[in-house]
Amino acid sequence: MEKQKHWDKIFNTQCEEILGWFEKDFSQTLKYLQKIEKLENKDVFVSGVGTSKIADILALREGKTVLNDISLEALNILKKRIKGKNVEFFQFDISKPFKKECDVWIDRAVLHFLIEEDEIKNYFESLKQSLRKDGLILFAQYKKGTAEKCASLPLKQYDIEEFNFYLGKAFKLLESETFEFTMPSLDKREFIYALYKKID
Ligand SMILES: C[S@@+](CC[C@H](N)C(=O)[O-])C[C@H]1O[C@@H](n2cnc3c(N)ncnc32)[C@H](O)[C@@H]1O
């Protein structure tokens, strides 16, 4: 509940254009989505979607889009904006176990807020349970060595070894890169982008 309050307050009191993670130009994330074959018909799960414009693009497709967030305020903003016919708004704390069957799992700047080992393990277990075979994961998290806080919260930084450790052998890394993100404040943050495929 405390976590939800924290995020609800942010979405309730701050305009999205000044939020530290706001992507005015979301071409970097879009670039990875465009690599996914037949995305049009795939079922997509977006963890901690916030008010990202990526949601609007995904909602236009035929395939199902599950838009998750812990914050009701964020989801309410999206509900007013998004008119897609195959969209589910899923208010849930992704550090708790759940299952939502999907072909694509997208997480930009959410996983890295999970600090406790049991929360991280729950997250990866839910991901493994939810993602169908041949399914794809797009991660974009703060990279090791970049800032240690976002939204006034501590975070865990990632690299490929860390993703591999939690994902295990059933996943194959297809592509990854470091991306320097310019925040609305013009400060810079390094993200690690990684696209994985579930092979087993
Ligand atoms: C830094 S923002 C990123 C938002 C969006 N993914 C983007 O790229 O613009 C983090 C988002 O994750 C959500 N969030 C944080 N912890 C969460 C949790 N445990 N479960 C679900 N959502 C969470 C927040 O409410 C917020 O919308």
Side-chain angles (χ1 to χ4, degrees), residues 61-144:
R61 303 165 317 112
E62 287 294 321
K64 183 166 185 172
T65 306
V66 177
L67 299 174
N68 156 260
D69 209 281
I70 198 169
S71 165
L72 261 184
E73 294 291 339
L75 291 181
N76 283 337
I77 293 169
L78 280 190
K79 276 181 194 163
K80 286 186 196 135
R81 215 171 73 196
I82 285 178
K83 302 282 178 261
K85 54 184 182 312
N86 202 0
V87 176
E88 178 186 338
F89 296 91
F90 177 45
Q91 197 257 331
F92 193 80
D93 176 351
I94 42 114
S95 68
K96 310 268 192 291
F98 69 96
K99 182 176 178 183
K100 286 275 176 197
E101 275 197 37
C102 60
D103 307 300
V104 179
W105 178 289
I106 300 170
D107 186 317
R108 175 178 178 269
V110 190
L111 164 64
H112 64 199
F113 289 109
L114 306 187
I115 301 294
E116 302 299 331
E117 202 54 27
D118 61 332
E119 295 189 335
I120 299 170
K121 286 196 172 138
N122 281 342
Y123 174 97
F124 278 94
E125 194 48 39
S126 302
L127 186 165
K128 289 172 191 175
Q129 291 294 323
S130 300
L131 199 63
R132 298 183 185 120
K133 184 157 182 297
D134 297 326
L136 296 164
I137 310 168
L138 174 59
F139 284 135
Q141 312 298 327
Y142 270 24
K143 193 183 171 186
K144 281 200 192 279

Side-chain angles (χ1 to χ4, degrees), residues 16-199:
E16 72 170 351
E17 285 81 7
I18 62 155
L19 297 174
W21 54 89
F22 175 70
E23 287 183 293
K24 185 172 184 189
D25 170 9
F26 50 89
S27 53
Q28 168 68 11
T29 306
L30 202 52
K31 181 177 89 178
Y32 277 85
L33 295 184
Q34 285 165 346
K35 292 175 192 283
I36 300 175
E37 280 176 33
K38 301 192 180 124
L39 180 63
E40 173 65 22
N41 296 307
K42 292 194 189 294
D43 295 339
V44 177
F45 176 83
V46 189
S47 93
V49 63
T51 55
S52 169
K53 300 278 191 297
I54 291 294
D56 303 60
I57 292 169
L58 291 170
L60 294 173
R61 303 165 317 112
E62 287 294 321
K64 183 166 185 172
T65 306
V66 177
L67 299 174
N68 156 260
D69 209 281
I70 198 169
S71 165
L72 261 184
E73 294 291 339
L75 291 181
N76 283 337
I77 293 169
L78 280 190
K79 276 181 194 163
K80 286 186 196 135
R81 215 171 73 196
I82 285 178
K83 302 282 178 261
K85 54 184 182 312
N86 202 0
V87 176
E88 178 186 338
F89 296 91
F90 177 45
Q91 197 257 331
F92 193 80
D93 176 351
I94 42 114
S95 68
K96 310 268 192 291
F98 69 96
K99 182 176 178 183
K100 286 275 176 197
E101 275 197 37
C102 60
D103 307 300
V104 179
W105 178 289
I106 300 170
D107 186 317
R108 175 178 178 269
V110 190
L111 164 64
H112 64 199
F113 289 109
L114 306 187
I115 301 294
E116 302 299 331
E117 202 54 27
D118 61 332
E119 295 189 335
I120 299 170
K121 286 196 172 138
N122 281 342
Y123 174 97
F124 278 94
E125 194 48 39
S126 302
L127 186 165
K128 289 172 191 175
Q129 291 294 323
S130 300
L131 199 63
R132 298 183 185 120
K133 184 157 182 297
D134 297 326
L136 296 164
I137 310 168
L138 174 59
F139 284 135
Q141 312 298 327
Y142 270 24
K143 193 183 171 186
K144 281 200 192 279
T146 201
E148 290 174 351
K149 277 194 165 192
C150 175
S152 310
L153 294 175
L155 50 80
K156 176 177 163 69
Q157 302 163 332
Y158 279 85
D159 58 16
I160 291 302
E161 286 68 35
E162 201 87 41
F163 290 139
N164 288 345
F165 171 77
Y166 288 108
L167 286 172
K169 292 200 165 41
F171 291 82
K172 182 182 170 198
L173 177 64
L174 300 181
E175 229 181 296
S176 77
E177 71 175 305
T178 299
F179 173 70
E180 189 178 68
F181 172 64
T182 305
M183 300 163 72
S185 62
L186 302 184
D187 283 349
K188 312 272 189 199
R189 294 289 182 269
E190 281 203 329
F191 275 77
I192 172 103
Y193 272 72
L195 189 62
Y196 279 90
K197 183 171 184 177
K198 186 176 186 181
I199 52 173

